[in-house]
């Protein structure tokens, strides 16, 4: 009886000694559509240095984390919607970083991507899923590829020496 989305009236009839008494109707909303009208959300935002250089050992040593921002505005946003951040070496291998239940529609949605979430080097996918309080999960947002370089950059390197190209020979 609840296979179709929409508002339904729910009531019962009590028969007492042959007399029918109807309850007051209760309006029940059946919702099967995920937030953002079941469409992918926009890409996450990253700090400017991560945008240009990726996640580096130097960045993590200085900051200790990467602050990821999810766009707070999307279609049919509601209080108690949940934003689920995913991160991994590919979309199918991404793991949940955290969940942000929306206490209001104004607060910025931010996640801390900690060093414990960043376990290997290479390109990683970063995206999120929107879910409502009724359990409807939408599709993955537009994903962002983030390069991860955990090995410190070498220092004190000498200039390369190519004997065959040396003009002093």
């Amino acid at each position: 009886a609840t296979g179709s989305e929409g508002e339904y009236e729910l009531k019962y009839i009590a028969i007492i000694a042959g007399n029918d008494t109807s309850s007051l109707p209760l309006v029940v909303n059946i919702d099967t559509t995920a937030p953002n009208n079941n469409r992918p959300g926009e890409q996450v935002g990253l700090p400017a240095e991560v945008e240009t250089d990726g996640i580096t050992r130097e960045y993590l040593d200085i900051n200790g984390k990467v602050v990821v921002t999810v766009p707070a505005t999307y279609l049919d946003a509601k209080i108690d919607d949940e934003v689920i951040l995913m991160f991994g070496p590919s979309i199918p291998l991404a793991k949940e970083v955290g969940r942000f239940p929306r206490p209001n529609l104004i607060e910025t949605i931010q996640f801390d991507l900690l060093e414990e979430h960043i376990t290997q080097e290479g390109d990683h996918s970063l995206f999120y899923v929107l879910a409502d309080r009724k359990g409807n999960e939408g599709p993955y947002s537009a994903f962002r590829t983030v390069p991860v370089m955990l090995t410190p950059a070498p220092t004190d390197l000498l200039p390369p020496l190519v004997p065959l190209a040396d003009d002093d020979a």
Side-chain angles (χ1 to χ4, degrees):
T2 59
S4 304
E5 191 168 30
E7 289 188 353
Y8 294 90
E9 214 173 74
L10 180 65
K11 62 182 177 178
Y12 63 89
I13 299 173
I15 302 172
I16 303 172
N19 295 322
D20 291 358
T21 303
S22 182
S23 70
L24 293 173
L26 172 67
V27 176
V28 177
N29 182 27
I30 304 300
D31 178 10
T32 58
T33 303
N36 203 28
N37 284 340
N38 204 31
R39 294 158 111 168
E42 297 175 21
Q43 281 188 341
V44 298
L46 295 169
E49 190 176 336
V50 174
E51 290 264 358
T52 56
D53 301 334
I55 301 172
T56 62
R57 167 59 42 214
E58 292 81 8
Y59 184 87
L60 289 174
D61 288 346
I62 293 169
N63 299 286
K65 63 185 176 186
V66 177
V67 177
V68 179
T69 306
V70 174
T73 55
Y74 52 87
L75 297 174
D76 69 347
K78 293 184 177 59
I79 292 174
D80 291 333
D81 280 356
E82 200 167 41
V83 181
I84 307 161
L85 186 68
M86 308 291 286
F87 179 76
S90 65
I91 292 174
L93 296 176
K95 293 190 174 21
E96 183 178 314
V97 170
R99 291 174 177 255
F100 182 90
R102 300 203 57 186
N104 57 54
L105 301 179
I106 300 168
E107 190 172 327
T108 302
I109 303 169
Q110 289 185 331
F111 291 90
D112 290 339
L113 187 61
L114 304 173
E115 204 164 334
E116 65 194 46
H117 301 122
I118 307 166
T119 57
Q120 56 187 332
E121 293 189 331
D123 286 344
H124 282 64
S125 296
L126 185 60
F127 57 96
Y128 61 94
V129 175
L130 297 172
D132 63 20
R133 63 183 179 193
K134 295 184 180 179
N136 300 314
E137 282 191 10
Y140 296 151
S141 70
F143 71 94
R144 169 161 272 170
T145 300
V146 182
V148 175
M149 294 149 290
L150 299 176
T151 305
T155 57
D156 299 330
L157 294 176
L158 298 174
L161 178 63
V162 183
L164 295 177
D166 190 4
D167 290 338
D168 295 330

